[in-house]
Amino acid sequence: MSLDPVAPGTLALAEEFGLSKDEYQLILAKLGRTPNVTELGIFSVMWSEHCSYKSTRVHLAKFPTKAPHVIYGPGENAGAIDIGGGLAAIFKMESHNHPSFIEPYQGAATGVGGILRDVFTMGARPVALMNALRFGAPEHPKTRRLVDGVVSGIAGYGNCVGVPTVGGETNFDARYNGNILVNVFCLGIAPRDRIFTSAAKGAGNPVVYVGAKTGRDGIHGATMASAEFSDDSEAQRPTVQVGDPFLEKLLIEACLELMATDAIIGIQDMGAAGLTSSSVEMASKGEAGIELDLDKVPAREEGMTPYEFMLSESQERMLMVLKPGREPEAKRIFDKWGLDAAVIGVTTDTGRLALRWHGDIVCDLPLGPLADEAPKYERPYVQPLKAIPLTHAEEARLVSDYPGFAASIAKLMASPDMASKRWIWEQYDRHVMGDTVADSGSDAAIVRLYGTPRALAMTCDVTPRYVEADAYEGGKQAVAEAWRNLTAVGAKPLAVTDNLNFGNPQRPEIMGQIVEAIEGMAEACRALAFPVISGNVSLYNETNGQAILPTPAIGGVGVIDNLERRATADALKSGDVVVLVGDADGHLGQSLYARELFGFGGAAPKVDLTLEKKNGDFVRALIADGLVRAAHDLSDGGLASAAAEMALSADVGVKLGYQGDLSDAAFLYGEDQARYLVALRPEALQTLERRAREAGVSFLVVGEAEGRDLSYIGAAGNRESLSLEDLRKAHEGWLPAYMKAAH
């Protein structure tokens, strides 16, 4: 099959490029002719799921995206919010799932590079990175190698580029055996009045290429990311890009220096679909046209064709449109930083993408069909099945076979999902730039706004087993937990970015999960005044028809106005009273206790958004008034796990006790939502009690901080304890031991 760039693009080639027969016929109809190979390649990447969101655009419109503090919502390279003091926070979350499974080091590394470019493209200096990782079952033969490669790739890129990696989450499940998830988040800070967008407005303006030279790496990466895997996925290794963090650091500095002038009209990074997506998106958003001379594109390899130039996903590249006459100024800046900068084209008023090569026009396409007129599907879906609630017999067994406090908490805290991820995050430079106040051990990471008493808090959250058990409630819970984690450190939650990871949307049951999860997320965002300002959809995450767990990850950001009034789990002090804020109903369905100790599932916990807001606002006010300095939200593992994490992070023992109607197992490990564990000095307890009564908030004194043990006295009066030393060994020992084991 010919890849001559001007040969006719056949149906067979279209299908090889990932287009359907109907989509090929639509292209013929829109053009009134047969496209050539280059043009067909351009259509294939712009109409890929990764670039067009063709299966989800209808449903993504359900998200609330506006608020007085939202500057830019979805549609730009990243979202932007006003955080006061003349500053904006710019952030986004993206996936690099398929590349990271094929080539874990470079897949993860270039994911970090890409999300950094999304943020600094808008004029922001990146100040924090996070990641959300999902791997297969620990016993699967590929898992250990994938963990090692992905973590090394994230560390290798982030550490070298000089931006701290401050937080994230890591889970293991057999459903990710054939398709891991690597979601990356970046946040940057920009002057409120100096934010850049991608729109290339006006005709006759120079189009300038800057950064690394273009090679053949990553060709059809966007298409590969829009198809499910099969047993021969390893053969797609050439579609994975190769990154250079040192060059990216130079690119950041050069772009920010040029941005300090008024030379730039529009700027866009070359991410998925490379030169194609950047040029098409800039011209279409600016309601202009664009003409490029591909002979002028800096090339790393000999004999590259228009098809290869346009579809390459070589890293560390940007496209910008400048004011006429400012090219020499830009060239001087990029020469200073040792980077290529070349004028490769001009904006036009034609509304078309035209490509010249060796003096000939080799592509002439209308922009509409490539951008706003791309296919938008309302795919058929069925209501996803909900998990069956635990039977009475299963509920009874969870209580009757409860192995006791010491044995159960030790097992849970050493389970793959709950075990310390220190082995991972200690490989990341978490404190470069000097403004990290709290990192991976905190509910939310905290980064100081340099030179002020204020800070930003950020978190990544989702509980995939809840989403599979009930996509609507699971979607609500993902947003609510992100909101809760920000609240737990004393931050006012401001906005959300998301990364929706699902299987094949052409399967009605998977599309049903997507729709239900989005609707649950949207309801929670509305109820909590937590708008969605950016995001990413990653579909076709399945291998041989086996889909991943539905994983709509949430990146939440909030602001702390006074760093002196914050709360973290490690601020627990001996003598503190430990108080549960929220109701203890003992919901054990889908709990880690039920799964890890008994192999049970059950129904996901319900999320009462009114209660979430009431309890969260109450806790945040306690922190703001200085009454609480140690806090932790309750999620996986319930109250006992939250207490264990607080005790370990502060290195102070905690004595827990309960005399109510619930069983010990339900009280300790129930995963009811809208709950926090807070610690305060005994003299502040009366104030908390009064304020809780006034606000109508449920609370229960559940223990005190003291000694070197984690202990529990149940309703029967029996006391069990586990030393912090033994608990720490269990909690921190699993992952290092796993990674040291023979391959």
Side-chain angles (χ1 to χ4, degrees):
M1 185 177 294
S2 172
L3 280 185
D4 176 347
V6 294
T10 62
L11 172 60
L13 188 61
E15 291 176 334
E16 186 176 314
F17 285 178
L19 292 163
S20 69
K21 181 179 179 181
D22 288 344
E23 287 169 343
Y24 180 71
Q25 295 300 326
L26 185 58
I27 291 169
L28 298 183
K30 285 186 177 291
L31 294 184
R33 61 177 174 85
T34 300
N36 64 35
V37 167
T38 300
E39 293 170 329
L40 188 63
I42 287 170
F43 267 106
S44 74
V45 291
M46 291 308 297
W47 285 13
S48 69
E49 198 75 61
H50 193 83
C51 292
S52 73
Y53 298 149
K54 58 191 175 187
S55 297
T56 54
R57 291 212 311 275
V58 168
H59 302 288
L60 295 174
K62 299 170 184 175
F63 284 143
T65 59
K66 293 179 170 40
H69 59 280
V70 174
I71 303 168
Y72 289 108
E76 276 303 331
N77 287 293
I81 56 173
D82 190 332
I83 55 173
L87 297 176
I90 295 174
F91 59 94
K92 190 182 183 185
M93 201 170 184
E94 271 272 12
S95 59
H96 232 220
N97 302 334
H98 285 47
S100 298
F101 182 76
I102 296 167
E103 181 57 68
Y105 185 94
Q106 290 296 349
T110 51
V112 174
I115 198 67
L116 282 163
R117 288 193 300 280
D118 280 336
V119 167
F120 77 75
T121 295
M122 296 190 69
R125 178 170 292 280
V127 298
L129 292 162
M130 295 192 295
N131 53 73
L133 312 177
R134 319 284 165 181
F135 296 105
E139 61 272 16
H140 189 271
K142 287 186 177 179
T143 298
R144 192 179 286 102
R145 179 182 67 84
L146 290 168
V147 173
D148 187 49
V150 165
V151 172
S152 297
I154 291 170
Y157 205 101
N159 295 357
C160 292
V161 86
V163 178
T165 300
V166 297
E169 59 176 349
T170 304
N171 293 140
F172 296 85
D173 192 280
R175 293 281 291 283
Y176 302 109
N177 282 351
N179 199 127
I180 64 173
L181 302 184
V182 175
N183 296 172
V184 287
F185 166 103
C186 181
L187 180 145
I189 304 295
R192 168 70 176 81
D193 59 354
R194 298 288 294 167
I195 299 173
F196 291 79
T197 64
S198 56
K201 296 177 181 175
N205 300 317
V207 178
V208 180
Y209 170 116
V210 301
K213 289 180 169 62
T214 296
R216 291 184 171 92
D217 52 323
I219 290 175
H220 265 297
T223 308
M224 177 267 289
S226 306
E228 59 191 82
F229 278 155
S230 62
D231 289 329
D232 64 353
S233 59
E234 298 287 336
Q236 298 185 55
R237 195 174 298 274
T239 60
V240 179
Q241 314 93 323
V242 177
D244 181 344
F246 299 106
L247 197 150
E248 179 113 334
K249 173 64 174 169
L250 299 176
L251 190 60
I252 292 172
E253 299 304 330
C255 286
L256 292 178
E257 184 172 336
L258 183 60
M259 287 166 168
T261 73
D262 64 346
I264 297 174
I265 293 173
I267 182 169
Q268 174 90 7
D269 83 293
M270 292 192 219
L275 190 51
T276 290
S277 64
S278 55
S279 57
V280 167
E281 288 174 14
M282 291 182 77
S284 61
K285 286 178 183 175
E287 298 180 341
I290 194 164
E291 183 174 312
L292 304 179
D293 185 343
L294 298 181
D295 294 323
K296 295 180 179 177
V297 175
R300 194 172 69 226
E301 301 180 43
E302 295 290 328
M304 288 188 66
T305 66
Y307 169 86
E308 292 169 330
F309 274 119
M310 294 305 290
L311 272 65
S312 166
E313 293 186 10
S314 294
Q315 295 291 285
E316 291 83 41
R317 302 180 302 157
M318 311 283 279
L319 197 65
M320 55 182 69
V321 173
L322 301 182
K323 295 177 180 177
R326 306 301 290 271
E327 303 95 318
E329 184 178 358
K331 186 78 165 64
R332 278 195 306 272
I333 290 172
F334 283 92
D335 283 349
K336 168 187 161 184
W337 291 98
L339 298 169
D340 279 296
V343 178
I344 65 167
V346 65
T347 58
T348 67
D349 59 3
T350 63
R352 302 182 75 83
L353 170 69
L355 304 178
R356 288 188 179 276
W357 184 60
H358 298 349
D360 297 323
I361 294 287
V362 293
C363 167
D364 185 6
L365 296 173
L367 288 168
L370 295 173
D372 294 339
E373 298 167 29
K376 183 163 67 172
Y377 298 133
E378 293 194 42
R379 295 202 186 276
Y381 66 91
V382 295
Q383 291 288 326
L385 295 174
K386 294 183 180 181
I388 299 169
L390 295 171
T391 65
H392 290 305
E394 288 170 335
E395 291 268 16
R397 193 179 155 207
L398 293 177
V399 173
S400 63
D401 291 359
Y402 166 63
F405 175 70
S408 56
I409 192 63
K411 184 172 178 61
L412 264 191
M413 294 300 286
S415 66
D417 280 357
M418 286 297 297
S420 168
K421 305 306 184 295
R422 181 184 295 275
W423 182 90
I424 292 174
W425 52 256
E426 281 196 336
Q427 297 186 48
Y428 305 148
D429 190 334
R430 308 182 310 285
H431 297 276
V432 64
M433 302 179 79
D435 287 321
T436 305
V437 176
D439 53 50
S440 298
S442 177
D443 283 280
I446 303 173
V447 174
R448 179 188 295 105
L449 289 168
Y450 184 74
T452 79
R454 307 171 71 232
L456 290 175
M458 60 208 79
T459 183
C460 293
D461 293 286
V462 65
T463 309
R465 67 183 186 277
Y466 289 174
V467 186
E468 176 153 79
D470 187 328
Y472 184 75
E473 289 295 327
K476 284 164 59 178
Q477 194 275 341
V479 173
E481 188 176 344
W483 191 86
R484 205 184 309 143
N485 277 340
L486 296 172
T487 291
V489 300
K492 178 185 178 183
L494 292 178
V496 159
T497 182
D498 62 59
N499 205 146
L500 309 181
N501 307 273
F502 290 89
N504 184 344
Q506 296 179 59
R507 293 167 53 195
E509 64 275 20
I510 297 294
M511 196 65 218
Q513 287 180 339
I514 296 169
V515 172
E516 290 275 297
I518 286 174
E519 291 179 351
M521 291 165 62
E523 182 185 342
C525 288
R526 284 191 297 270
L528 300 172
F530 206 23
V532 178
I533 65 162
S534 61
N536 170 244
V537 173
S538 175
L539 306 182
Y540 296 95
N541 288 292
E542 54 183 82
T543 300
N544 296 327
Q546 174 66 57
I548 60 163
L549 287 172
T551 311
I554 298 293
V557 172
V559 67
I560 298 174
D561 284 323
N562 180 0
L563 261 175
E564 295 301 312
R565 297 292 174 87
R566 68 180 188 271
T568 48
D570 63 0
L572 181 72
K573 297 285 188 291
S574 183
D576 282 354
V577 178
V578 180
V579 178
L580 171 67
V581 175
D583 298 309
D585 293 328
H587 182 94
L588 289 173
Q590 286 300 325
S591 68
L592 278 187
Y593 169 78
R595 187 186 78 179
E596 293 295 328
L597 275 71
F598 297 88
F600 293 166
K606 296 295 182 186
V607 179
D608 182 332
L609 294 167
T610 302
L611 196 61
E612 286 282 1
K613 185 155 192 340
K614 180 171 70 170
N615 292 356
D617 290 349
F618 174 75
V619 168
R620 202 179 313 108
L622 293 178
I623 296 168
D625 292 341
L627 292 168
V628 164
R629 292 188 63 88
H632 197 2
D633 93 300
L634 267 62
S635 52
D636 280 348
L639 184 149
S641 295
E645 288 174 339
M646 287 183 82
L648 289 172
S649 61
D651 200 29
V652 176
V654 173
K655 293 181 176 180
L656 296 172
Y658 177 66
Q659 298 294 311
D661 297 330
L662 295 175
S663 67
D664 288 342
F667 173 72
L668 289 168
Y669 300 116
E671 294 185 9
D672 313 302
Q673 300 296 294
R675 300 194 301 163
Y676 302 80
L677 214 52
V678 301
L680 61 163
R681 305 309 293 171
E683 57 270 21
L685 183 58
Q686 193 172 357
T687 304
L688 180 146
E689 292 172 343
R690 174 179 56 77
R691 291 173 64 157
R693 284 194 299 272
E694 291 170 354
V697 168
S698 299
F699 73 95
L700 184 66
V701 176
V702 295
E704 60 181 332
E706 181 184 288
R708 303 291 305 159
D709 294 344
L710 182 68
S711 64
Y712 176 68
I713 301 176
N718 53 311
R719 182 173 189 267
E720 279 194 77
S721 64
L722 186 67
S723 73
L724 288 188
E725 183 181 1
D726 288 343
L727 182 62
R728 195 179 304 281
K729 285 178 183 174
H731 183 53
E732 296 196 354
W734 179 79
L735 189 53
Y738 172 71
M739 295 306 297
K740 283 180 186 173
H743 284 236

